Amino acid sequence: MFIPKANRIAVFSYLFKEGVLVVKKDTVSPTHPHVEGASNLEVMMLMKSLESRGFVRCTFSWQHTYCYLTAEGIEYLRTYLGLPEGVVPATHKKSTGRPEGRDREEDKFAGGEGRPAFRGGGDREYRSRDGGFGRGGGV
């Protein structure tokens, strides 16, 4: 299938930037939702070609193909797009630290007795043993 070079570069640059690409199994869709200018069929065929050469690993689930860039694919796209060695996909970047807003140590032991707050100490009347309806209910 003939794919224009501008569409091929758009798909490859998006794949390299993100590291993953999701393609819906829809051959008649005029555009791909994430890639500008390329049709969904063109993106499907490019991923099929890259998978046969071992540059991406594809998983198919619920009419969607999830394509993950491999190490060989990173090198191939880096040479094809003319990118320097320091540029890596978003999925291969190291995280800088813990996400903001998650303080584990302060809130974990809210009871003060050395046990986590979610164990006991809460509202024990909810689902207590002395009451209710049905089998084994209150007397």
Side-chain angles (χ1 to χ4, degrees), residues 90-109:
T91 55
H92 291 266
K93 291 181 181 173
K94 301 291 183 190
S95 63
T96 58
R98 297 190 57 81
E100 293 297 322
R102 291 193 63 186
D103 299 328
R104 297 194 119 194
E105 298 303 322
E106 293 91 32
D107 295 335
K108 189 174 179 181
F109 300 107

Side-chain angles (χ1 to χ4, degrees), residues 1 4 6 10 17 25 27 30 35 41-42 46-47 54 67-68 72 77 84 88 93 101 113 121 123 136 139:
M1 175 177 190
K17 181 179 75 169
K25 187 180 175 184
T27 58
V35 181
L41 180 63
E42 291 172 345
L46 284 172
M47 291 303 109
C67 301
Y68 309 98
E72 295 85 17
L77 289 182
V88 293
K93 291 181 181 173
E113 14 188 86
D123 187 19
V139 177

Side-chain angles (χ1 to χ4, degrees), residues 20-36:
V20 294
L21 182 66
V22 179
V23 184
K24 184 176 181 183
K25 187 180 175 184
D26 181 15
T27 58
V28 296
S29 178
T31 60
H32 189 272
H34 301 294
V35 181
E36 292 290 325

Side-chain angles (χ1 to χ4, degrees), residues 38-113:
S39 70
N40 204 38
L41 180 63
E42 291 172 345
V43 176
M44 282 175 54
M45 293 299 112
L46 284 172
M47 291 303 109
K48 184 175 169 184
S49 172
L50 289 177
E51 182 184 21
S52 69
R53 293 188 272 171
F55 297 145
V56 295
R57 180 178 53 90
C58 292
T59 304
F60 186 77
S61 175
W62 288 79
Q63 298 297 313
H64 286 79
T65 304
Y66 302 93
C67 301
Y68 309 98
L69 201 55
T70 61
E72 295 85 17
I74 292 172
E75 291 302 318
Y76 172 74
L77 289 182
R78 190 175 284 142
T79 57
Y80 188 86
L81 297 172
L83 298 172
E85 292 290 323
V87 179
V88 293
T91 55
H92 291 266
K93 291 181 181 173
K94 301 291 183 190
S95 63
T96 58
R98 297 190 57 81
E100 293 297 322
R102 291 193 63 186
D103 299 328
R104 297 194 119 194
E105 298 303 322
E106 293 91 32
D107 295 335
K108 189 174 179 181
F109 300 107
E113 14 188 86

